[in-house]
Structures are given as C-alpha cells and as structure tokens.
Amino acid sequence: MNTKITAAVLAAATATVALSGCGLKEGLTEKANGHVKTVGYTTGAEGKRDEKARLPEWVPDRARSVTEVIRTTGSERILRFTGGTLPAECVPGAAATQAATLVAQWWPQGQESRTDKVCGEWHVLVQGDDVFAFKPETLVSTRS
C-alpha cells in the first residue's frame, strides 16, 4: 500500500476517534461571530451526563436525536430533539424577540420568532414530534 495513502487513512481514523466517544458527536469551529461547539446525543439522559455541554435539565430524559449548537464565548444556544414530554416548567410564553445568530442545517431561519413556550431562559417550539429551542445571548459585549 502506498505510504501517503496509509498516512492519510491513519490520520482520518485518529481524527474520527478523537472527535467521537460514547455516542457523543462534537466539533469546535471558529466562526466570524465567535466560537461555536456542536454536540449530539442519542438521548436526553445521555446529554445531561455531559458536564461540558450542560444540556438543560428541562430536556426530557427520553428525548431522542438531541443536537445542540453552543456559543462557547457567550450564552446563546440552539437545540433540537425528537420525542419526550416537556415538563410542567415549560409554559406558554412569548416568542423570542432577539434573533438567533447561530446556524445549523436543522434550524429553520427565523425559527426563534415562532416559539410559543418558555422553559426557564429558553424559547421553545414543538412541531409534531420535533422540539426546537433557542436560548438568546445574555452576555453584554464590551466592544465599541
């Protein structure tokens, strides 16, 4: 086998192992608007055990296909999962007035403006079996 191909395969395998573990998918990228981390879990219970990502406690343990994008230099987050029943702390509430600056293929543009429930600091929308949630940025920028 060609030495260059062997090295490339070994590098790809090492990167795959380094970025995955125990069902957790994680990536960190530099964006023009700050550091962004994406995490994914098979269930809500699995995500709550990850102390580094701090999946919100209101996410049902039985939630499936949990994906979250987190601004690591602030507090803004977007979240999507399937299934599970929202707890009583999630009550009807106004849609978010602050626009999301985080993006993901699974997050429809403007989704935060369609939310109709509030779970603590999160604005939530249930569409069929899918749940979308947005936590607006609360840190104040000191840039002038």
Side-chain angles (χ1 to χ4, degrees), residues 18-38:
L19 292 175
S20 65
C22 303
L24 171 68
K25 299 175 289 182
E26 184 175 328
L28 181 63
T29 56
E30 175 71 32
K31 302 281 185 182
N33 56 358
H35 294 273
V36 176
K37 179 178 183 177
T38 301

Side-chain angles (χ1 to χ4, degrees), residues 41-50 55-66 81-87:
Y41 308 99
T42 304
T43 67
E46 178 187 353
K48 290 177 187 178
R49 289 190 298 266
D50 180 11
L55 192 63
E57 284 299 316
W58 59 264
V59 173
D61 288 346
R62 293 181 181 213
R64 302 176 315 278
S65 302
V66 181
F81 60 87
T82 303
T85 303
L86 294 179

Side-chain angles (χ1 to χ4, degrees), residues 5-6 17 19 21-22 27 45 50 52 60 76 87 93 106 112 116 121:
I5 293 173
T6 302
V17 170
L19 292 175
C22 303
D50 180 11
K52 293 180 183 177
E76 181 182 8
W106 47 263
E112 65 281 359
D116 60 0
E121 296 179 286

